[in-house]
């Protein structure tokens, strides 16, 4: 997701007027958090099914994407598709906020202090922003995955608080909340980096070369040109698809490591290398390392559409342009 929508309606760059830095910091935090919550709520059922498929839940292990979508409501009710979404909302607001703010901050550091500019600084800033957000919110992601993996009638945890308490007491304290962190960071670097890089590059090229076709004046500042909503959707979908394809096997390994003792084969999934080897040897590439990828592609379009549209709207509402 990109924050540099700064092209004038006359085709010349416009430098955003970020006065009162502290207020801009808070507004950016709120805009990023709201955008993340809206995007994740939209695709919560897709996330639940993806987790069940990635970890080969014994209750749905022989089912595909469509069959799982049909089976979950029958077995757990329609709210079963949103299991773990409460924990996701607790996590995604600070995650989205930190990622957006960190991206802007890292971009400035790379450009002004290190002299790194052009496309490479967008790639590097995106990678570092993604990893920063992950480290800050990772325990909440573990809780969300554990709750989403549970099936009605086979609960290990009764809620977010109980999950925190149980993991802390039975899985080694604080380290228990950071299982799978290494593959997450390794996977986040290319995912966030290529996501920011691809979207930012497409956005810049579109606004510079085709401003009349792809752009429109910002609602809060007619001198600033922003992408039209359907163009945001397209650019975001392409960025998400490329990033997901590159990092998906690491996402599969991360989910298995996060689930820890919940999985019967947890002793074989203690490190990134062992987890990847186990999944590959047992299920292969298509049904193992890339199981659920088609669902991720389906997730990209609505997720990115809502995220980009909401963030652009929040930026204009809070006068961040």
């Amino acid at each position: 997701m990109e924050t540099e929508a700064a092209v004038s309606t006359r085709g010349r760059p416009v430098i955003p007027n970020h006065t009162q830095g502290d207020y801009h910091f808070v507004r950016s935090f709120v805009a990023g958090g709201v955008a993340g919550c809206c995007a994740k709520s939209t695709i919560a059922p897709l996330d639940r099914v993806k987790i069940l498929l990635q970890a080969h839940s014994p209750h749905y292990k022989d089912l595909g994407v469509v069959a799982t979508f049909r089976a979950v409501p029958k077995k757990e009710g329609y709210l079963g598709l949103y299991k773990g979404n409460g924990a996701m909302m607790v996590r995604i607001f600070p995650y989205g906020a930190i990622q957006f703010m960190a991206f802007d901050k890292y971009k400035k550091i790379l450009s002004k202090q290190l002299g790194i500019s052009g496309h490479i600084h967008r790639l590097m800033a995106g990678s570092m922003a993604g990893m920063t957000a992950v480290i800050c919110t990772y325990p909440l992601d573990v809780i969300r995955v554990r709750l989403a993996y549970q099936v009605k009638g086979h609960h290990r945890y009764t809620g977010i608080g109980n999950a925190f308490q149980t993991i802390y007491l039975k899985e080694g304290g604080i380290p228990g909340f950071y299982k799978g962190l290494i593959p997450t960071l390794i996977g986040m670097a290319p995912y966030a980096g290529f996501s920011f890089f691809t979207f930012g590059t497409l956005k810049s090229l579109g606004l510079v070369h085709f401003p009349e076709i792809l752009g429109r004046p910002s609602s809060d500042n007619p001198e600033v040109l922003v992408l039209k909503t359907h163009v945001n959707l397209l650019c975001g979908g392409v960025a998400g698809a490329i990033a997901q394809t590159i990092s998906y096997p690491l996402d599969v390994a991360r989910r298995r490591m996060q689930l820890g003792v919940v999985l019967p084969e947890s002793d074989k999934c203690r490190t990134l290398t062992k987890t990847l080897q186990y999944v590959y040897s047992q299920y292969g590439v298509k049904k193992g390392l890339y199981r659920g990828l088609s669902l991720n592609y389906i997730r990209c379009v609505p997720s990115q559409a809502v995220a980009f549209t909401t963030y652009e709207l929040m930026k204009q509402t809070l006068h961040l342009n």
Side-chain angles (χ1 to χ4, degrees):
M1 289 173 234
E2 177 68 26
T3 60
E4 51 185 50
V7 175
S8 75
T9 53
R10 297 189 180 97
R12 295 190 301 272
V14 171
I15 299 175
N17 182 23
H18 297 328
T19 57
Q20 299 179 316
D22 289 341
Y23 288 106
H24 181 267
F25 182 87
V26 173
R27 290 169 179 172
S28 181
F29 186 95
V30 173
V34 171
C37 287
C38 290
K40 285 298 183 180
S41 292
T42 302
I43 62 168
L46 296 170
D47 272 337
R48 173 86 202 285
V49 171
K50 186 187 77 167
I51 290 171
L52 293 172
L53 292 176
Q54 282 182 327
H56 292 82
S57 169
H59 302 280
Y60 305 102
K61 64 180 180 180
D62 297 322
L63 304 179
V65 173
V66 176
T68 303
F69 261 114
R70 293 173 178 170
V72 170
K74 291 180 181 179
K75 186 176 182 65
E76 306 177 60
Y78 282 100
L79 289 180
L81 292 171
Y82 287 87
K83 187 170 290 184
N85 194 51
M88 169 59 82
M89 291 301 98
V90 173
R91 167 188 172 262
I92 202 60
F93 189 94
Y95 178 89
I98 291 169
Q99 187 177 40
F100 275 110
M101 289 189 303
F103 178 68
D104 286 334
K105 187 66 174 178
Y106 287 138
K107 253 196 335 182
K108 292 178 182 177
I109 293 175
L110 291 170
S111 178
K112 295 181 179 180
Q113 298 184 20
L114 300 180
I116 301 174
S117 59
H119 296 307
I120 188 65
H121 91 298
R122 189 181 291 127
L123 180 64
M124 294 175 63
S127 296
M128 292 188 293
M131 289 190 289
T132 299
V134 164
I135 292 172
C136 292
T137 61
Y138 194 76
L140 293 169
D141 191 33
V142 171
I143 297 298
R144 195 269 300 195
V145 171
R146 296 286 183 97
L147 294 176
Y149 183 73
Q150 294 186 139
V151 175
K152 186 176 181 180
H154 301 272
H155 285 186
R156 179 184 290 263
Y157 313 108
T158 58
I160 297 175
N162 178 254
F164 264 111
Q165 182 180 31
T166 303
I167 293 173
Y168 182 82
L169 295 176
K170 297 185 178 181
E171 298 186 40
I174 299 299
F177 294 104
Y178 283 89
K179 292 179 179 179
L181 177 62
I182 299 303
T184 300
L185 292 177
I186 294 174
M188 180 52 66
Y191 175 75
F194 278 102
S195 182
F196 277 97
F197 169 77
T198 304
F199 181 77
T201 301
L202 292 174
K203 182 177 185 178
S204 297
L205 292 174
L207 290 177
V208 170
H209 296 290
F210 307 100
E212 296 84 4
I213 300 174
L214 305 180
R216 64 175 177 80
S218 173
S219 60
D220 70 318
N221 185 358
E223 288 296 311
V224 174
L225 202 64
V226 297
L227 288 179
K228 294 178 180 178
T229 302
H230 68 279
V231 181
N232 259 327
L233 166 61
L234 179 61
C235 292
V238 172
I242 292 175
Q244 288 285 354
T245 302
I246 293 172
S247 63
Y248 195 76
L250 293 168
D251 188 44
V252 172
R254 170 174 69 110
R255 293 304 185 197
R256 284 182 164 270
M257 294 178 71
Q258 285 179 329
L259 288 167
V261 297
V262 175
L263 294 177
E265 66 272 18
S266 60
D267 60 318
K268 300 175 182 177
C269 300
R270 293 180 178 176
T271 67
L272 173 59
T273 303
K274 288 183 177 179
T275 303
L276 290 173
Q277 289 177 340
Y278 173 77
V279 174
Y280 176 73
S281 63
Q282 290 294 311
Y283 306 104
V285 175
K286 183 178 180 180
K287 295 184 178 181
L289 297 177
Y290 280 93
R291 180 174 168 83
L293 179 61
S294 60
L295 185 60
N296 253 23
Y297 286 143
I298 297 172
R299 288 171 66 249
C300 285
V301 173
S303 175
Q304 296 296 335
V306 173
F308 282 117
T309 302
T310 304
Y311 188 70
E312 291 296 325
L313 177 61
M314 291 297 296
K315 282 204 305 180
Q316 294 172 46
T317 301
L318 299 174
H319 306 292
L320 287 173
N321 281 322

